Amino acid sequence: VPLVESGGGSVQTGGSLRLSCTASGYPLENCRTWFRQAPGKEREAVAVLGSYGSAVYADSVKGRFTVSQDNAKNVLYLQMNSLKPEDTAMYYCAAELSSFHSGPFCQRQSWTWYGFRGQGTQVTVSS
């Protein structure tokens, strides 16, 4: 499996979770993105790391979510703080390794553009 997410769960409003996305067999680089999809809504990119390490966030998560990577472990993280019920969704990671791209470019790409995609981990935030 190209990418495996973990760390999802159920928390109350204001709580925190850290999601992990582990890659096996290749280095995570270039576009690395966390997507989420809530029931009845389109999948959206919420946090992106571009080729040069530039992080880009959706307005809805700015100041609350942080994307980072442990290169030694080849793991992409999403630290989510001050969670809200509207953050409830399935969270997915994706990576496109082929070329150098900026964070904003990566953010504009659709889920299907990414060559490596995970199966998702559920995050539920209760009020």
Side-chain angles (χ1 to χ4, degrees):
V1 179
L3 293 171
V4 179
E5 302 95 337
S6 61
S10 297
V11 297
Q12 292 188 326
T13 298
S16 298
L17 285 172
R18 188 177 78 160
L19 306 184
S20 299
C21 172
T22 302
S24 299
Y26 55 89
L28 272 175
E29 57 188 9
N30 295 331
C31 288
R32 295 144 289 170
T33 299
W34 284 99
F35 286 85
R36 71 182 180 188
Q37 187 168 23
K41 295 188 176 181
E42 292 189 358
R43 198 171 314 212
E44 61 171 341
V46 295
V48 179
L49 270 183
S51 299
Y52 310 105
S54 54
V56 182
Y57 300 94
D59 289 343
S60 58
V61 307
K62 277 181 185 175
R64 301 188 298 121
F65 289 15
T66 303
V67 59
S68 63
Q69 180 164 321
D70 185 326
N71 293 325
K73 295 181 179 179
N74 209 31
V75 177
L76 183 72
Y77 297 105
L78 183 65
Q79 178 67 45
M80 306 186 295
N81 299 327
S82 302
L83 283 162
K84 305 174 182 180
E86 50 263 44
D87 294 318
T88 295
M90 186 71 81
Y91 284 72
Y92 304 84
C93 63
E96 177 51 49
L97 313 181
S98 59
S99 354
F100 293 102
H101 296 298
S102 68
F105 175 89
C106 300
Q107 188 185 34
R108 293 193 295 270
Q109 307 314 306
S110 68
W111 169 253
T112 56
W113 176 82
Y114 286 80
F116 295 85
R117 291 167 274 175
Q119 297 297 309
T121 185
Q122 177 68 38
V123 171
T124 303
V125 185
S126 58
S127 56

